[in-house]
Amino acid sequence: MTGPATGYDLAVIGLGYVGMPLAKEATAAGLRVVGFEVDPRKVDALNAGRSYIDDLTDADLEHMLASGFTATLDEKVLAESRTIVICVPTPLDEDHRPDLSAVEGATATVARNLSAGSLVVLESTTWPGTTDEVARPLLESSGLTAGKDFHLAFSPERIDPGNPKFGLRNTPKVVGGYTAACRDIAAAFYAQFIEQVVPVSGTREAEMAKLLENTYRHVNIALVNEMAIFCDELGINLWESIEAAATKPFGFQKFLPGPGVGGHCIPVDPSYLSYTVRKLGYPFRFVELAQEINERMPSYVVARVQRLLNRHRKAVNGSRVLLLGVTYKPDIADERETPALPVARALLELGADLVFADPYVKEWQVDGTRVPREENLAKAVAEADITLLLQQHAAFDLSTVEDHGRLVLDTRGVLAEGERVERL
């Protein structure tokens, strides 16, 4: 098989937190890259040199554009591309079941424009079997056969927004192909701009690897979250116990409690694995228990706020509550699945006078209700009846919070405990 003779080396479908780092590294390696999007606002912004991605600066984007990268709404570019990588979202629906509508839509678009000899890779996180059972039949509706007329592979994204140490280039890339030849072609493609490629025997093994990674984190976070609840009642400083355990040089990895889990992976990916297991006729009890524990943490945080205020003869109703940090990770603007949202929702329902401070979020709403933003940290902390630290952005002066907060609940274990400061 040989791919299209002219056009692009790579077409990236979905120009978000996964697609743009891929496009950036491929462009830097000298590949001719085009980005396909259905959102005209994203296409216009990218072509104008305006980045909306934390890990991609405007300067990075300008360099990409100067090197030939372009974004487009025209799906016909896919027919001119040797490799097509699908990087679209895979959220959960209202019933916590996998929503593959974006994957199906993108794959159908590829099928309409598929050329013989092309390589198609799915990077979107999904349940094991999706590449073979969902993507392949859609692609083969083109009249071309996977493994014979075109190459098909799955390679899970491992993007960690805001991580200063590991990016796309130096994070090992797992690759599984529909056939051994598909795997080898896909591995050779990624090896052009990624330092280490990890081939596995099939697409299902690659799909499962991603779910295993994040389910491992999900379960261990749930473990320390549940320990935080009962250690508080036992009068044990769990944070100190975790640091002590972490001195063991083998057999232990440190996980920390928090107000809940957020982002595009941990709250979502284990549900894909649970969905797969349930199709076999039984529950995946570890995952479902972890989901239950982590999802109740925002309610527990609110209960701790109530308790702290009550000790000082205050009710939540009418109290000024300052939320520090409303993103799901420190030092980025990403709000996806942030636990700040259910925390804020519960506090508003209790009648709190809610305000927030976050250097990365200029405007914030909870179910359509605008939450006022505080610019001056010292003033905001001094005026709040209670300050709730939800995210430890480096821009926050923690000493200001400790010195001027009337009451403070620290959900991240970064403040010194005292008469007015409690840790989760």
Side-chain angles (χ1 to χ4, degrees):
M1 288 184 283
T2 58
T6 59
Y8 303 98
D9 298 308
L10 169 64
V12 179
I13 302 181
L15 303 180
Y17 282 84
V18 176
M20 286 309 298
L22 174 65
K24 173 188 171 184
E25 292 297 345
T27 300
L31 276 64
R32 296 165 294 173
V33 182
V34 63
F36 172 70
E37 249 294 344
V38 296
D39 185 343
R41 294 171 299 177
K42 289 185 177 181
V43 169
D44 290 344
L46 292 173
N47 288 331
R50 299 192 307 273
S51 175
Y52 44 83
I53 305 298
D54 283 304
D55 290 340
L56 185 75
T57 66
D58 288 351
D60 290 333
L61 184 53
E62 289 289 354
H63 186 71
M64 290 175 63
L65 294 168
S67 300
F69 172 77
T70 186
T72 183
L73 297 167
D74 184 4
E75 66 181 60
K76 291 184 176 61
V77 297
L78 304 178
E80 305 169 16
S81 302
R82 290 181 179 273
T83 298
I84 301 168
V85 179
I86 299 172
C87 304
V88 296
T90 48
L92 301 176
D93 64 18
E94 293 180 355
D95 297 319
H96 276 241
R97 294 176 304 186
D99 179 359
L100 295 184
S101 57
V103 168
E104 292 169 341
T107 307
T109 302
V110 174
R112 291 194 297 270
N113 298 277
L114 189 58
S115 299
S118 297
L119 166 65
V120 181
V121 184
L122 178 62
E123 285 205 4
S124 305
T125 304
T126 184
W127 47 267
T130 300
T131 305
D132 184 27
E133 299 169 18
V134 177
R136 182 174 61 84
L138 286 170
L139 293 169
E140 290 184 341
S141 69
S142 65
L144 301 176
T145 301
K148 178 182 177 183
D149 302 313
F150 70 94
H151 305 287
L152 176 62
F154 181 84
S155 181
E157 61 89 4
R158 282 175 159 176
I159 299 297
D160 185 19
N163 190 321
K165 183 177 181 180
F166 291 105
L168 184 78
R169 176 174 290 276
N170 66 345
T171 300
K173 198 83 169 84
V174 174
V175 177
Y178 175 62
T179 65
C182 292
R183 176 199 62 208
D184 293 344
I185 291 291
F189 163 72
Y190 282 113
Q192 295 176 90
F193 52 90
I194 293 178
E195 294 173 5
Q196 180 183 359
V197 177
V198 182
V200 294
S201 59
T203 56
R204 284 173 172 81
E205 286 73 20
E207 290 161 335
M208 180 61 81
K210 176 56 186 276
L211 297 185
L212 176 59
E213 293 168 16
N214 285 324
T215 300
Y216 170 82
R217 294 171 63 197
H218 186 59
V219 168
N220 281 281
I221 290 170
L223 172 64
V224 292
N225 276 338
E226 188 165 41
M227 292 182 78
I229 294 172
F230 67 70
C231 279
D232 172 58
E233 296 188 22
L234 291 171
I236 297 170
N237 186 332
L238 176 63
W239 302 92
E240 186 176 348
S241 297
I242 290 172
E243 293 302 327
T247 63
K248 185 178 181 181
F250 54 89
F252 181 83
Q253 182 177 357
K254 183 171 74 172
F255 288 86
L256 298 173
V261 293
H264 59 299
C265 288
I266 298 180
V268 176
D269 295 359
S271 293
Y272 276 67
L273 188 51
S274 179
Y275 169 80
T276 303
V277 174
R278 279 196 170 273
K279 290 196 298 181
L280 300 176
Y282 50 87
F284 193 171
R285 288 175 288 177
F286 260 124
V287 166
E288 292 170 12
L289 179 59
Q291 196 88 20
E292 177 188 332
I293 293 169
N294 287 333
E295 286 182 355
R296 82 181 186 203
M297 287 307 292
S299 297
Y300 175 68
V301 168
V302 172
R304 289 287 299 273
V305 170
Q306 287 179 292
R307 190 180 78 185
L308 191 51
L309 284 169
N310 284 342
R311 285 178 183 167
H312 292 78
R313 300 181 181 276
K314 292 179 180 290
V316 175
N317 190 358
S319 289
R320 189 173 184 83
V321 181
L322 170 64
L323 303 185
L324 290 186
V326 297
T327 61
Y328 92 90
K329 280 188 68 178
D331 305 325
I332 64 171
D334 198 339
E335 300 173 42
R336 287 176 295 175
E337 305 294 331
T338 173
L341 186 59
V343 168
R345 182 180 294 125
L347 289 169
L348 287 172
E349 289 174 355
L350 290 171
D353 175 17
L354 203 62
V355 294
F356 85 99
D358 194 307
Y360 297 93
V361 179
K362 303 306 179 185
E363 293 184 0
W364 196 50
Q365 294 186 347
V366 177
D367 302 331
T369 299
R370 179 181 170 274
V371 179
R373 182 176 186 267
E374 294 287 342
E375 295 276 357
N376 186 313
L377 180 63
K379 180 174 178 289
V381 170
E383 292 179 350
D385 292 297
I386 186 168
T387 296
L388 179 53
L389 178 62
L390 294 175
Q391 196 55 264
Q392 71 274 36
H393 294 309
F396 289 147
D397 183 349
L398 299 182
S399 63
T400 295
V401 180
E402 292 169 346
D403 295 342
H404 299 286
R406 298 182 189 176
L407 295 173
V408 181
L409 179 61
D410 171 18
T411 69
R412 297 297 180 176
V414 294
L415 301 177
E417 287 193 286
E419 183 180 345
R420 293 172 289 107
V421 179
E422 282 191 6
R423 286 180 175 178
L424 189 64

